Amino acid sequence: MDIVPLDFAAEPVRLAEFHALAADWAAPGPRLPAHLFRLLAERGWRAMPAETWLAIDDDRVIGGVTLHLPDRDNTHLALIRFLQVASGHRRRGVGGALLAHAAERARAANREMLLVEVVEAGPGEAFAQAKGMREVATLARRVLDLARFAPPEREVPGYRLEFLRGRTPEPLITEMIMFLETMNDAPLDDLSVNEERWTPADVEAMEDPWDETRQDVFTVIARADDGSPAAFTRLFADSVEPGGWARQTDTAVIRAHRGRGLGMWVKEANTAWLKRARPELQRVITWNAVANGPMVAINERLGYEFLDVWHEWELRV
Ligand SMILES: CC(C)(COP(=O)(O)OP(=O)(O)OC[C@H]1O[C@@H](n2cnc3c(N)ncnc32)[C@H](O)[C@@H]1OP(=O)(O)O)[C@@H](O)C(=O)NCCC(=O)NCCS
């Protein structure tokens, strides 16, 4: 077996073989379509340096690892985005060899640790334990059945809602940065992760691939009557191969506006909008730190039901 780098542009067959291994990495959650898999492996949503290494046996891809190397915040970390071994090739040291290679690459890039997200009680957890990783955070995934979602129309006095489909318009970029930086308030358990800072160029870089990868992005903003931004939430649905799924991502309420039901309101309004705009979608998936009591409570009131638990593991390199 050899471990070789993947050249995304020049090696479409190898890319397709690695995608076939990794597309269902989050099952029973949504399958990753090829165009989205390529984006996530090649550069991630935040356009960061990344490398993918493949385990090749007899000219076939039998495993692979994708490493992201943050270059603005958290430069002490290397993130394992995908680590997969084909089911017929497991328990023969392939995963261990890929992990050792990733650790070597992380060290070469002056990183102190590797971080990886793994579903509870699967082979990945046994592997992480066997490799001496430390569990540092717990997340739960929940799913909302859109057929059963019928929230009442309601208002929150003193606030109004704005609906944006697609990219953030230029005049709202400064506000978007405020919202994205408010995401730093989410609990981190024992993760040694620093706050993420955003610039207008970062927002643009994050949104650039939305069109190319056919992401249909729904954002609702709550604004106070005096014009100040108060809360935001975002849903994504693939336009080409959604497989019935939408994904609930960021939600943030600016500190001065917390405790007034705005988090619930923006999520409810956005989900109702998504359901009207994309009636073929069946469900929404979301993931939260188990420690994030307020967000989990909102999701349960919206009708989200528990799916499974994931842990983040770290390995000092
Ligand atoms: C996790 C995964 C990458 C491991 O790949 P692999 O090639 O089977 O790993 P290795 O053969 O190098 O396993 C090394 C050790 O991990 C442990 N391990 C791996 N899989 C295990 C399992 N299913 N049950 C119990 N222990 C396991 C064992 O201690 C194993 O050593 P041993 O076989 O000598 O007992 C593979 O199962 C996989 O692709 N799983 C789905 C994706 C995933 O969970 N990725 C996240 C990984 S952190």
Side-chain angles (χ1 to χ4, degrees):
M1 180 201 58
D2 296 315
I3 296 183
V4 299
L6 170 64
D7 181 333
F8 285 82
E11 296 177 313
V13 174
R14 287 197 168 168
L15 171 59
E17 286 182 15
F18 186 36
H19 172 242
L21 287 185
D24 281 315
W25 76 284
R31 181 179 170 80
L32 261 185
H35 54 276
L36 204 50
F37 174 71
R38 177 168 179 170
L39 170 83
L40 295 177
E42 202 171 12
R43 46 167 284 188
W45 287 117
R46 285 203 65 185
M48 62 177 72
E51 26 188 273
T52 291
W53 295 84
L54 300 178
I56 305 290
D57 187 34
D58 206 12
D59 206 28
R60 303 280 304 174
V61 175
I62 59 164
V65 62
T66 294
L67 206 58
H68 285 183
L69 299 162
D71 57 347
R72 289 175 294 246
D73 312 294
N74 293 305
T75 51
H76 62 300
L77 294 178
L79 314 169
I80 293 186
R81 191 65 185 78
F82 302 106
L83 171 55
Q84 294 284 329
V85 174
S87 44
H89 294 268
R90 292 185 185 171
R91 301 303 292 271
R92 295 180 199 163
V94 178
L98 286 165
L99 180 70
H101 190 75
E104 192 184 305
R105 297 296 303 165
R107 269 192 302 274
N110 289 320
R111 308 296 157 138
E112 291 161 27
M113 59 182 89
L114 284 172
L115 261 190
V116 61
E117 232 170 60
V118 181
V119 71
E120 192 171 76
E125 184 166 288
F127 176 78
Q129 281 164 345
K131 295 296 170 188
M133 296 191 196
R134 188 169 80 96
E135 191 243 288
V136 287
T138 305
L139 304 144
R141 298 196 300 177
R142 286 181 172 73
V143 175
L144 177 70
D145 177 355
L146 285 169
R148 291 167 49 192
F149 179 74
E153 287 267 326
R154 59 190 190 92
E155 298 292 320
V156 173
Y159 294 90
R160 60 180 187 272
L161 296 178
E162 289 171 12
F163 296 80
L164 303 172
R165 193 162 178 178
R167 301 186 65 133
T168 307
E170 221 283 316
L172 294 187
I173 290 208
T174 311
E175 284 182 2
M176 189 49 66
I177 289 175
M178 247 171 100
F179 287 131
L180 292 168
E181 292 189 347
T182 301
M183 292 302 297
N184 288 318
D185 292 354
L188 289 173
D189 290 356
D190 208 9
L191 273 170
S192 53
V193 166
N194 303 324
E195 297 204 334
E196 292 192 337
R197 294 287 149 219
W198 292 78
T199 64
D202 294 335
V203 175
E204 276 176 34
M206 178 183 66
E207 297 184 357
D208 277 343
W210 290 359
D211 292 339
E212 181 196 322
T213 58
R214 307 292 304 278
Q215 296 303 294
D216 194 5
V217 184
F218 296 79
T219 304
V220 167
I221 290 175
R223 189 179 295 289
D225 285 345
D226 67 3
S228 53
F232 103 118
T233 191
R234 196 160 251 176
L235 287 158
F236 282 69
D238 199 278
S239 300
V240 189
E241 265 179 78
W245 290 95
R247 307 185 312 279
Q248 167 71 59
T249 62
D250 296 348
T251 300
V253 181
I254 305 282
R255 273 189 199 178
H257 299 276
R258 290 184 189 162
R260 296 171 200 178
L262 296 179
M264 174 91 183
W265 192 38
V266 287
K267 283 188 123 170
E268 211 171 64
N270 206 16
T271 311
W273 181 30
L274 172 92
K275 185 173 166 169
R276 283 193 307 277
R278 296 285 302 269
E280 86 284 13
L281 298 178
Q282 293 153 15
R283 36 193 136 61
V284 186
I285 189 160
T286 192
W287 49 97
N288 304 107
V290 166
N292 195 342
M295 193 46 75
V296 170
I298 288 175
N299 289 337
E300 290 190 335
R301 276 171 58 204
L302 286 168
Y304 278 86
E305 287 177 358
F306 173 82
L307 179 64
D308 54 15
V309 171
W310 290 63
H311 297 282
E312 298 240 24
W313 295 80
E314 74 174 25
L315 182 69
R316 292 208 159 261
V317 293

